[in-house]
Amino acid sequence: MKQNENLVLVGSKAILVPYKRNHVEKYHEWMTSPFLQEMTASEPLTLEEEYDMQRSWHLDDNKCTFIIQAVKEGAPAFSSSWTGDDIRKHTVMIGDVNIFLNDPDDDLTFGEIEIMVAEETYRRNGYGLEALRMMMAYAIEKLGLKTFHAKISTKNTPSIELFETKLGFYQVAKSEVFQEVTLEWSISDGSGPSEYGAKAPLTMEKTHSALQSLWASLSSLPWES
């Protein structure tokens, strides 16, 4: 997606940058891991295929991707005076977060969200949760999304718990064939008695409010190609 090609979003821990050609080699290295392939239901690609995919995703208006960066150990804390070059110098790639606008009826308020924290050192340290919240806030405010689905391997218990307990997603389907669950987070059009879906947990309204507050507090800066 070209809409976010020059946008950087900065949270308290995670920094989201657009997926560029210079990220591809590291991404390809990650995806040689059988564990990550299984957790993301991905097939291994050649390096050239990864470059082709990065190019196609950049041009595809239905695919929004950010690379998750973390400040390197020993580097200075993020400052509002940082530039794109400072982020390249002082941060490290740790994963990615994506939204696919893949509704079969072309409902552009629906998106499938997924996340991968590829660097083991950074797992279960709050980076994934913040990156998801930042991506959801961006998608609601800038892409107009109202409904999110997340398809997660049934073996990936930590990820399922993250979506359910921290973000208020709820299960709407389970596939024994693909060994995955589908979780949902949705805001209705407000015409019913509740703005949120009937299956929505009580945490969803709080999550929505928190996402709105998060968006208002995020720092952003341009990303020079």
Side-chain angles (χ1 to χ4, degrees):
M1 179 179 285
K2 298 188 76 173
Q3 183 168 328
N4 72 320
E5 66 180 346
N6 293 311
L7 177 66
V8 176
L9 298 176
V10 182
S12 62
K13 294 172 70 78
I15 299 174
L16 305 187
V17 305
Y19 184 31
K20 299 289 189 177
R21 182 177 175 84
N22 61 289
H23 297 125
V24 172
E25 286 196 22
K26 184 63 175 179
Y27 189 88
H28 177 66
E29 178 187 324
W30 287 341
M31 297 314 297
T32 61
S33 161
F35 172 75
L36 291 178
Q37 290 172 20
E38 181 179 21
M39 291 299 99
T40 59
S42 301
E43 296 293 330
L45 300 177
T46 66
L47 181 58
E48 188 55 42
E49 288 172 332
E50 292 283 13
Y51 277 113
D52 288 342
M53 181 168 288
Q54 185 275 326
R55 283 191 292 268
S56 69
W57 282 24
H58 175 228
L59 298 174
D60 192 333
D61 288 337
N62 292 326
K63 294 182 173 67
C64 181
T65 298
F66 283 100
I67 294 295
I68 309 169
Q69 304 274 134
V71 176
K72 294 177 181 177
E73 186 175 353
F78 174 79
S79 165
S80 58
S81 65
W82 273 22
T83 65
D85 285 339
D86 291 317
I87 290 177
R88 292 182 182 93
K89 179 179 179 181
H90 297 306
T91 69
V92 60
M93 283 176 66
I94 65 169
D96 70 328
V97 60
N98 310 296
I99 285 180
F100 306 112
L101 307 180
N102 57 5
D103 182 75
D105 297 320
D106 294 326
D107 180 358
L108 295 180
T109 68
F110 171 92
E112 182 178 333
I113 189 168
E114 65 176 30
I115 189 166
M116 175 180 70
V117 179
E119 296 292 336
E120 188 173 1
T121 305
Y122 293 90
R123 293 177 195 154
R124 300 181 181 86
N125 282 309
Y127 290 95
L129 175 60
E130 185 174 54
L132 283 167
R133 285 174 170 160
M134 292 165 70
M135 179 60 116
M136 289 178 69
Y138 173 77
I140 291 169
E141 296 294 331
K142 294 300 182 181
L143 303 181
L145 265 67
K146 293 183 178 180
T147 300
F148 298 85
H149 273 193
K151 295 182 179 180
I152 306 172
S153 167
T154 54
K155 297 179 181 179
N156 195 347
T157 303
S159 186
I160 294 172
E161 291 179 350
L162 171 67
F163 276 85
E164 290 182 334
T165 64
K166 300 294 186 180
L167 295 170
F169 278 69
Y170 48 90
Q171 184 173 313
V172 293
K174 184 175 183 178
S175 172
E176 298 295 343
V177 174
F178 295 107
Q179 295 187 331
E180 68 180 16
V181 295
T182 300
L183 307 179
E184 181 175 280
W185 191 100
S186 184
I187 308 169
S188 75
D189 60 9
S191 60
S194 172
E195 187 180 5
Y196 304 94
K199 296 182 181 179
L202 296 176
T203 55
M204 183 164 289
E205 184 174 0
K206 292 181 179 179
T207 301
H208 186 202
S209 177
L211 291 175
Q212 292 174 314
S213 297
L214 174 64
W215 181 253
S217 69
L218 287 178
S219 300
S220 64
L221 56 103
W223 181 259
E224 305 89 352
S225 300

